């Protein structure tokens, strides 16, 4: 599939997490505000610097698009056939709240689709990963486990629906309210996807904009676990690097959805 070493990418994610934890466990916790009103910390920068350095040293021929790098002009970026898509600290709001619900996300995009993804949780030390057609896995205190989504029908009662802890809007609330007595669970960062991949939840609707780097690594992990992430506008898989601002208007992530009888 690829000459990329998934074990090396996992190590890079873990190394970035160590940079994050230096800040998380210190008093150096200043928070800035970016132009889009989202928070930025020293940990975002340290993690990004580490990831970029390691990827450039090991894969000099693959360009990098990261939330914390200077934006790449679309006229240049649209020519990329393969590139790294990185969120060095996904869930900065959760990082600032010190609730542990933040991750390091590294994905490899090829021809508009994620073909490799690694997500690491700095606080718990748990790592998730997937490669195209090779399954999805996680490693924690219990060793390595293969991930498999739970099967469900949209008409089922008591579906477990994951929602954003920091970005739950009215449209998403209305979508959830139409389900059959759903049970909701708030979670930060890409951990929402991982609950689906682990078989602990069924749906994650996000009916508000999100950036591609927020979900790319989680998308391939969920796909390889048997789930799917689709654009609300056309019910099709998300195509990455498909526009000027790398913004996804809205999506729904599903575990292994069955067709209603």
């Amino acid at each position: 599939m690829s000459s990329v070493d998934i074990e090396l990418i996992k190590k890079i994610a873990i190394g970035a997490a160590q940079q994050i934890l230096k800040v998380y466990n210190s008093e150096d916790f200043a928070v800035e505000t970016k132009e889009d009103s989202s928070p930025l910390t020293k940990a975002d920068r340290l993690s990004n610097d580490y990831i970029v350095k390691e990827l450039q040293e090991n894969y000099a021929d693959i360009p990098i698009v990261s939330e914390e790098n200077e934006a790449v002009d679309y006229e240049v970026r649209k020519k990329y056939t393969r590139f790294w898509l990185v969120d060095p600290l996904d869930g900065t709001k959760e990082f600032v709240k010190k609730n542990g619900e933040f991750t390091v996300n590294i994905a490899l995009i090829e021809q508009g689709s994620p073909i490799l993804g690694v997500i690491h949780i700095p606080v718990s030390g748990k790592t998730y990963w997937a490669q195209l057609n090779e399954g999805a896995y996680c490693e924690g205190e219990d060793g390595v486990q293969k991930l498999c989504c739970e099967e469900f029908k949209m008409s089922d009662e008591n579906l477990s629906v994951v929602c954003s802890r920091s970005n739950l809007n009215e449209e998403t609330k209305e979508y959830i309210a139409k389900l059959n007595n759903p049970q909701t669970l708030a979670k930060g960062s890409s951990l929402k996807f991982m609950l689906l991949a682990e078989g602990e939840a069924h749906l994650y609707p996000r009916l508000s904009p999100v950036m591609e780097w927020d979900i790319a690594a989680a998308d391939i992990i969920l796909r390889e676990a048997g789930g799917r992430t689709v654009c609300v506008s056309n019910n099709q898989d998300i195509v990455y690097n498909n526009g000027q601002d790398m913004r996804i208007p809205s999506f729904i992530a599903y575990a292994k959805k069955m067709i209603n009888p």
Side-chain angles (χ1 to χ4, degrees), residues 232-260:
V232 170
S233 60
N234 59 13
N235 203 39
Q236 299 297 311
D237 292 338
I238 293 167
V239 178
Y240 292 83
N241 197 26
N242 195 36
Q244 292 281 355
D245 61 1
M246 305 194 79
R247 188 179 300 272
I248 300 163
S250 57
F251 68 83
I252 299 175
Y254 299 96
K256 193 176 291 184
K257 186 172 69 165
M258 300 169 65
I259 299 174
N260 285 327

Side-chain angles (χ1 to χ4, degrees), residues 52-64:
V52 169
K53 176 177 176 291
E54 292 294 322
L55 291 178
Q56 287 178 338
E57 287 183 356
N58 289 280
Y59 303 103
D61 59 326
I62 304 178
I64 302 167

